[in-house]
Amino acid sequence: MPANRFNGFTDYGIGVGLRVPHYEHIFAERPVVDWFEIISENYMVDGGRPLKILDQILEQYRVVQHGVSMYFGSAQPANYEHLRRLKELVKRTKTPWLSDHLCWGSVDGRYTHDLLPLPYTFEAIRTTARRIREVQDFLEIPISVENVSSYVEFQESQMTEWEFLNEVVHEADCGILLDVNNIYVSSQNHGFDPFEYVNSVAADRVAQIHIAGHSKFEKYTLDTHDHPVLDPVWRMYARAIERVGPTATLLEWDDNIPSFEEVHREALKANQYLAAAASKSLEVLA
Amino acid sequence: MNLVDFQRRMFEDVSRPLTREWKTRIQTDEGESVAAIANSYITPNDRLTSFERLEIYNRQYWFRLIDAVSEDFPALQAVLGARRFDSMILGYLVDTPSTSFSLRDLGASLPKWLERNPHHAGSRLRLALDVVALEWAYVEAFDRAALPPMVESDLHQLNDASTLMLQPHLQLLKLSYPVDELVLAVHRGQGTSDIVSNAVVDRKRKVQPRLPKMQRSNVYLAVHRYDNSVYYRRLEPEAYELLSGLQKGRSLGAAIAEAFSTSGDSAEEQAAKIQQCFAHAAELGWFCRPGVAD
Ligand SMILES: [Fe+2]
């Protein structure tokens, strides 16, 4: 049973990000994996090997698309060439939902290729929610927005990040991809309680969860995705699952990528929390 | 400040070139204090000033973009050396900010830009221009479309006035050095990398391979994709001219006439060369079926 109306995909279980260094292993060993998350932009090309590989993956696995360049929070009109290409890919993968970040990254036709945080203002809520609706209407699939990690806060902000997130998804009527590692990273950088964030987020809209590793530096914490998930992030994950119920979960590992088996093993650690949540929801039903 | 103005403000600050030590500049070109600008919209915390918080994004912007372009031009880096290459890429990115949602397109204008900014290549300009053209051709050949190729019956319909569309993945190059050997040597020593995370902490450096010696000689090259792999195929000069003419939209008759305009070959020799060129091109599927582009 779906945990909420944005999460019809509870049975997706635990996915792994599809990464180039793992192609060989995946095709040779055909490991059992619940689903793969792909970075949409890597496959928004006209032809060649990326699409061939994707088609081979699609023959055997379920694929969910995750984007890095939609920039829902960029204030100027959407780039329809981008959306058209994305829709082509959506048709190819038949992704049941699509996620991208609650951030901005382009202005006046120039792209930073970064996930830049927004000022938490009412104008930003309106602008971002409008864009999410527009994209959702065009692509004709459910959209979930992901909270980003950040290293700055803005004078103009009028609310907390979680209040901002809740307002945006409410106004856009979309789902949330809750990245608990990003929450942790931001909490370290901005000095808030990460559990207050997890406890406040609109649980009935969480469609997917990201877990990942991060790195602590002397004066700040960076979202590096280059090693295993750290304990505080697992604790936040456990709390999120407790609130949301069993939810499609994905481990992000993008740098210093170890063997596929190691990444998968790390991801599957999430199972213990998912199992606990599942038995709890059964108890409630009984 | 409304949201667009806020984003223009931050874009300018995030994309401002770094100092030689890869740090955020203290002053703008107009002499304004960057710390004062940062203070005007970024809040400090107990560990970092507004300026230092901005610097995280300013450095990330440059490291990510420089790494993305560098990844597509490893042989150019090997030819120019790391220092010259870095300063060239920086100059390029300052002049040519990204205008695409995809990092794939970031290096698209580098070949033309380097031609217009020859001082960045130092004494090896001709070689560098060949290498940069070939490395960009590789990117194009790798993932440009492959349309349905012509079949035998289409070939029989052709006459002097026909125009032919070549495969979008096919790139034709006229080079002054046999840089295909050099580029292959460098690419063989390279691993592939995928998307990076949100964070870029520092510049990455790859080990430089030993480069083969280059002697000037004209090389005509087709860079194309076959069975999802990219190949470099050397062409006869006339075949290169003929295919280039077709690629520019000339009719078959005009492209042939142009290709052989300075040739001393007899009519039979010319006919044999044309036939051979067509046989190879058709075999590799370089001609698209008529009408597929519409
Ligand atoms: Fe994430």
Side-chain angles (χ1 to χ4, degrees):
Chain A
M1 198 180 66
N4 63 56
R5 93 182 152 95
F6 293 92
N7 183 347
F9 320 104
T10 298
D11 66 315
Y12 263 64
I14 298 168
V16 174
L18 183 65
R19 301 291 178 261
V20 174
H22 294 155
Y23 285 170
E24 222 177 288
H25 175 90
I26 294 165
F27 291 127
E29 305 296 329
R30 312 262 160 201
V32 177
V33 182
D34 289 346
W35 53 287
F36 281 112
E37 186 182 78
I38 62 163
I39 304 292
S40 301
E41 286 76 3
N42 290 358
Y43 304 91
M44 286 160 74
V45 293
D46 297 332
R49 195 187 295 263
L51 293 179
K52 170 85 186 294
I53 298 271
L54 179 60
D55 287 343
Q56 284 173 328
I57 291 285
L58 285 165
E59 278 171 25
Q60 288 228 318
Y61 297 99
R62 298 186 289 194
V63 162
V64 177
Q65 280 180 229
H66 178 57
V68 294
S69 62
M70 182 56 70
Y71 300 145
F72 291 121
S74 283
Q76 290 160 322
N79 172 349
Y80 269 80
E81 164 61 12
H82 180 184
L83 285 176
R84 192 188 55 72
R85 274 181 178 268
L86 187 57
K87 192 165 187 176
E88 239 170 75
L89 187 64
V90 163
K91 283 185 192 150
R92 194 178 200 113
T93 64
K94 302 188 177 61
T95 182
W97 76 94
L98 177 139
S99 60
D100 206 312
H101 301 82
L102 182 53
C103 70
W104 71 280
S106 60
V107 68
D108 297 327
R110 297 182 172 188
Y111 288 75
T112 62
H113 301 281
D114 202 347
L115 308 171
L116 299 174
L118 286 156
Y120 306 137
T121 62
F122 291 100
E123 186 197 358
I125 291 170
R126 280 193 305 276
T127 307
T128 311
R130 202 184 312 124
R131 172 64 50 77
I132 296 168
R133 277 180 183 273
E134 182 186 359
V135 172
Q136 199 157 242
D137 287 349
F138 183 84
L139 296 178
E140 300 175 295
I141 49 164
I143 287 194
S144 290
V145 294
E146 175 178 355
N147 57 294
V148 295
S149 53
S150 63
Y151 314 108
V152 284
E153 294 161 290
F154 300 119
Q155 312 272 14
E156 285 193 5
S157 288
Q158 296 165 294
M159 62 197 92
T160 64
E161 184 186 334
W162 54 93
E163 287 166 338
F164 179 74
L165 171 65
N166 284 347
E167 285 298 321
V168 168
V169 295
H170 175 76
E171 249 191 60
D173 195 23
C174 70
I176 296 173
L177 193 183
L178 192 67
D179 188 318
V180 284
N181 180 60
N182 286 350
I183 295 177
Y184 182 77
V185 167
S186 296
S187 76
Q188 296 302 294
N189 291 330
H190 309 319
F192 62 78
D193 173 7
F195 284 93
E196 192 182 348
Y197 194 137
V198 174
N199 287 331
S200 308
V201 82
D204 57 345
R205 289 186 181 269
V206 175
Q208 187 190 334
I209 298 183
H210 269 174
I211 47 178
H214 58 260
S215 304
K216 265 193 188 347
F217 293 88
E218 194 194 334
K219 291 183 172 179
Y220 57 95
T221 302
L222 263 192
D223 173 29
T224 44
H225 296 183
D226 61 351
H227 53 249
V229 181
L230 295 166
D231 278 343
V233 175
W234 279 125
R235 283 198 295 275
M236 291 167 60
Y237 176 69
R239 177 61 189 140
I241 289 295
E242 203 173 56
R243 286 199 66 219
V244 178
T247 299
T249 298
L250 182 115
L251 169 68
E252 297 185 289
W253 202 320
D254 298 314
D255 221 338
N256 298 329
I257 305 178
S259 72
F260 178 82
E261 283 128 320
E262 195 177 321
V263 173
H264 198 200
R265 213 177 309 123
E266 181 68 17
L268 291 177
K269 286 182 189 166
N271 258 330
Q272 46 182 310
Y273 306 101
L274 289 173
S279 63
K280 212 173 200 177
S281 48
L282 280 179
E283 264 168 45
V284 173
L285 284 176
Chain B
M1 211 173 352
N2 69 31
L3 193 58
V4 186
D5 289 338
F6 169 88
Q7 292 178 350
R8 287 192 175 121
R9 168 78 268 155
M10 191 164 174
F11 180 86
E12 191 182 325
D13 296 336
V14 162
S15 64
R16 182 172 298 114
L18 300 170
T19 65
R20 271 170 198 279
E21 292 76 36
W22 304 107
K23 292 193 179 321
T24 291
R25 290 188 184 173
I26 292 169
Q27 278 196 338
T28 67
D29 284 343
E30 293 74 34
E32 255 185 289
S33 151
V34 173
I37 296 174
N39 286 336
S40 74
Y41 69 102
I42 295 171
T43 53
N45 69 8
D46 51 356
R47 288 153 290 165
L48 296 166
T49 63
S50 306
F51 178 91
E52 288 168 324
R53 293 184 118 181
L54 174 65
E55 187 167 47
I56 298 174
Y57 285 98
N58 191 196
R59 283 163 53 95
Q60 267 190 186
Y61 172 87
W62 285 104
F63 293 170
R64 175 176 289 110
L65 263 50
I66 292 169
D67 280 347
V69 185
S70 306
E71 210 165 277
D72 287 338
F73 299 95
L76 184 62
Q77 178 164 354
V79 166
L80 296 183
R83 273 179 79 135
R84 195 178 272 281
F85 180 81
D86 275 353
S87 96
M88 178 208 62
I89 292 295
L90 217 53
Y92 170 66
L93 288 171
V94 169
D95 287 358
T96 324
S98 173
T99 54
S100 164
F101 68 89
S102 173
L103 279 171
R104 178 231 179 256
D105 301 325
L106 196 56
S109 321
L110 186 59
K112 286 231 159 72
W113 181 89
L114 190 56
E115 227 167 300
R116 287 197 309 270
N117 296 273
H119 59 281
H120 279 285
S123 58
R124 307 180 93 180
L125 176 63
R126 199 55 257 172
L127 182 65
L129 288 176
D130 278 2
V131 170
V132 73
L134 182 51
E135 291 197 297
W136 184 250
Y138 179 93
V139 174
E140 293 280 66
F142 181 76
D143 62 13
R144 279 276 170 219
L147 302 175
M150 262 193 177
V151 293
E152 184 129 13
S153 58
D154 300 323
L155 280 168
H156 295 313
Q157 313 272 322
L158 297 177
N159 59 44
D160 264 11
S162 308
T163 52
L164 286 165
M165 185 186 163
L166 301 189
Q167 289 292 353
H169 64 78
L170 173 66
Q171 314 295 312
L172 299 166
L173 300 174
K174 187 177 185 175
L175 306 165
S176 316
Y177 288 92
V179 289
D180 44 344
E181 292 163 17
L182 185 149
V183 169
L184 278 171
V186 174
H187 283 214
R188 240 178 255 127
Q190 292 274 319
T192 41
S193 90
D194 206 357
I195 193 92
V196 291
S197 84
N198 192 359
V200 189
V201 190
D202 233 322
R203 300 288 323 282
K204 288 171 193 160
R205 277 268 170 252
K206 291 199 167 118
V207 188
Q208 292 302 338
R210 192 176 283 274
L211 299 179
K213 282 233 161 1
M214 287 285 108
Q215 290 221 317
R216 253 190 116 115
S217 71
N218 284 344
V219 171
Y220 300 88
L221 209 62
V223 183
H224 70 109
R225 191 168 76 242
Y226 189 79
D227 205 13
N228 291 309
S229 291
V230 174
Y231 293 94
Y232 302 153
R233 187 187 177 90
R234 294 215 183 162
L235 301 170
E236 293 293 327
E238 293 88 350
Y240 167 84
E241 295 296 346
L242 173 49
L243 292 167
S244 297
L246 293 172
Q247 203 173 44
K248 285 176 205 139
R250 307 249 197 287
S251 70
L252 195 50
I256 290 174
E258 227 169 289
F260 290 93
S261 61
T262 57
S263 161
D265 293 344
S266 69
E268 283 109 65
E269 285 167 332
Q270 287 190 13
K273 278 185 175 170
I274 293 166
Q275 207 189 18
Q276 199 191 31
C277 169
F278 267 75
H280 282 153
E283 196 187 336
L284 294 167
W286 288 354
F287 300 125
C288 301
R289 282 214 81 167
V292 288
D294 316 324

